[in-house]
Each structure stands twice: as structure tokens, then as C-alpha cells.
Amino acid sequence: MDLKVNDYTTDDGLTVINVEGEIDVYTAPKLREKLIDLVNKGKFHLLVDMEKVEFLDSTGLGVLVGGLKRVRAHDGSLELVCTQERILKIFRITGLTKVFGIHDTIDEAREKRKSQK
Amino acid sequence: MATVELSFSALPAHVRTARLIVTAVARRSGVPETLLDEVRLAVGEACSRAVEAHLRCCPDEPVRLEMTDGRRFEVVVNDAVPSEGPDGTLPAESSPGSPAWDGLGLALGDGPDSLGLAVIAGLADHLVVSPTPKGVQIRMSWPV
């Protein structure tokens, strides 16, 4: 199954990355390339929408952690939108719920970002 | 007790195939539906780890799986990458308790292997990771 990765930037400067499909050792490089490309283009505030992600393994987690590391080097942020229990469980097992901001919706993430400005 | 064996070339694209087969065999073996996601993810992690190890050391060697049902559903993933320790101990990267396994270490890495084993440990009902004469064996099982 292909991994679909699309992005758009909101008027408040947040780049939303929609990810659809399975993120594993085969498909994760595509997401990694997208995150690196966005950072190279100066997009340092990223929100990864994982509501259509059907599978995520540690390779995918590693890509997200790598993306977080890159944006933090520019005082940026990388947060997630995810309500799927099967995906959230992996973040809990690895302790990454303490590393990533995880929101229920894109709007919630945007509102929280506005309130922190 | 019945056994299904699977052998596949060490290519990332085949890991998904292995996941699908293991899930199908687990379902047929009577693993509760609520545990199938855990089986799928844990076995996928073990296969990913083996594929990446083979690609580094022996890309022509296949990754081998054994699935056995009985009182429990057991999956054994064997790689052909010999351990690097002097007494048959596992390579340093493979232990969730290793120094790299902390929050800061995670934040500094792009894909530490220890993440995969940590996920397996969190998902498998019973887990044994052990060196064998030929490589590393990950043995996982779940109730049926």
C-alpha cells in the first residue's frame, strides 16, 4: 500500500501534513523526505495529521522524532493530530506522548498554538 | 499443534506481506480479535529489525518466521546476523535498557533499533530475545 503525504500551510503559518496509509520500514522514507523538504523550505511549525494512518511502527516513530529534532533546531515545533487508539498506544508504550503534543483535531491544535503566542 | 513457516527476502516491501500473513494465521489459530493488532505490530517490528540487520550484513540471506498454534500462538523471527558480543551476547543496540534508551536519546535519534524492541516488549504477551549460533531469535507468544 502506498503512503500518501500531502501538505498545506495555513494563514497563521502552520504547515499541516496529511498522511494516509501505512507507515512502516518500506514507506517511512517518503514521510522522512517530506519532513526534510519542508524544513529545507523554511517550514518550521509542522502538524502531522495521522487520522488516516492505518499502521505505524517504530520506523515511523523514528521519522517523526527525527522531524521534531530538525524543527527544534530552528525553534520550531512538530505536533500530531491523532485520536486512533491503536496508534496512540504505540506512542504510550515508547513514552513519546511526553515528547509530542497530540491533539484531537487540527482546529484544536491551531487554537492552542494561537493561545500560546 | 500446527506450524506455518515463512521465509522472505530481506526487502522492506515484504514486511507488510509478513504482517498480513501472521495476522491471518493468528486469527485462524484463535487469537482474540482484540489482540490481533498487537500481534501484527509486534511481528512487523521483529521483521523490520531483521530486514534492516540483513541489509547491513547479509542482504542475500532470507528472514525466517515460524508460527505455531497450540495452547498459545507463538511466532519466532530468526535473523542471520550473528551477535557481536564476545560470549554470544546481543548487539548493544538491541536492548531497551541500553543507554540509548531514554527520552533524550530518542529525541536525538532518527530511528534507533531499541525503539522496535521496546514496542515488541510492550505488545507481546511473552517475549524472549536470544542469540543463536546463526543470528538473533525473537520469540513472541499470545494466548488463544
Side-chain angles (χ1 to χ4, degrees):
Chain A
M1 169 174 278
D2 282 341
L3 183 71
K4 294 179 184 173
V5 184
N6 298 298
D7 68 279
Y8 63 91
T9 301
T10 63
D11 51 11
D12 52 351
L14 183 67
T15 299
V16 179
I17 303 155
N18 291 314
V19 187
E20 185 175 345
E22 299 187 352
I23 308 175
D24 68 1
V25 67
Y26 180 57
T27 60
K30 186 171 184 177
L31 178 58
R32 179 187 286 117
E33 286 167 15
K34 171 61 77 175
L35 295 177
I36 291 172
D37 182 51
L38 289 170
V39 171
N40 288 341
K41 288 177 178 171
K43 309 287 188 184
F44 302 138
H45 292 282
L46 309 179
L47 182 66
V48 181
D49 182 355
M50 306 187 68
E51 287 298 81
K52 292 184 178 174
V53 171
E54 296 163 14
F55 181 86
L56 174 72
D57 70 4
S58 65
T59 317
L61 291 177
V63 167
L64 292 172
V65 170
L68 179 63
K69 175 186 163 189
R70 287 187 177 89
V71 294
R72 278 188 176 173
H74 300 277
D75 293 325
S77 62
L78 189 156
E79 300 192 337
L80 311 172
V81 171
C82 182
T83 59
Q84 296 187 75
E85 184 54 33
R86 66 160 69 166
I87 304 293
L88 291 171
K89 185 174 186 176
I90 305 164
F91 284 95
R92 277 199 291 271
I93 287 171
T94 53
L96 288 174
T97 48
K98 297 171 185 171
V99 176
F100 290 103
I102 301 177
H103 306 277
D104 287 349
T105 64
I106 294 173
D107 286 344
E108 179 193 297
R110 292 179 69 181
E111 286 302 319
K112 188 167 183 182
R113 184 163 179 264
K114 282 178 189 171
S115 68
Q116 290 173 340
K117 277 187 176 177
Chain B
M1 182 180 291
T3 299
V4 176
E5 294 185 5
L6 173 66
S7 173
F8 64 92
S9 299
L11 296 173
H14 291 334
V15 172
R16 181 171 189 265
T17 305
R19 284 200 308 266
L20 294 174
I21 292 172
V22 166
T23 305
V25 176
R27 180 178 280 120
R28 191 172 182 82
S29 299
V31 174
E33 287 288 326
T34 52
L35 293 179
L36 290 179
D37 261 349
E38 301 188 1
V39 174
R40 182 170 72 131
L41 180 54
V43 175
E45 291 288 356
C47 291
S48 296
R49 182 196 166 281
V51 165
E52 290 180 341
H54 278 220
L55 289 177
R56 283 194 302 268
C57 302
C58 49
D60 294 334
E61 284 286 325
V63 174
R64 299 180 192 280
L65 275 84
E66 289 176 27
M67 296 155 263
T68 308
D69 65 9
R71 287 188 175 181
R72 298 175 65 82
F73 176 67
E74 183 177 78
V75 182
V76 180
V77 179
N78 290 294
D79 71 41
V81 180
S83 60
E84 296 168 352
D87 301 314
T89 54
L90 290 172
E93 40 89 345
S94 62
S95 168
S98 67
W101 182 250
D102 57 57
L104 186 59
L106 282 178
L108 294 174
D110 222 8
D113 287 347
S114 55
L115 258 182
L117 277 175
V119 171
I120 296 170
L123 294 173
D125 190 59
H126 184 253
L127 169 68
V128 177
V129 183
S130 53
T132 68
K134 202 176 176 193
V136 174
Q137 182 179 81
I138 297 180
R139 184 180 294 268
M140 304 159 272
S141 69
W142 291 266
V144 295

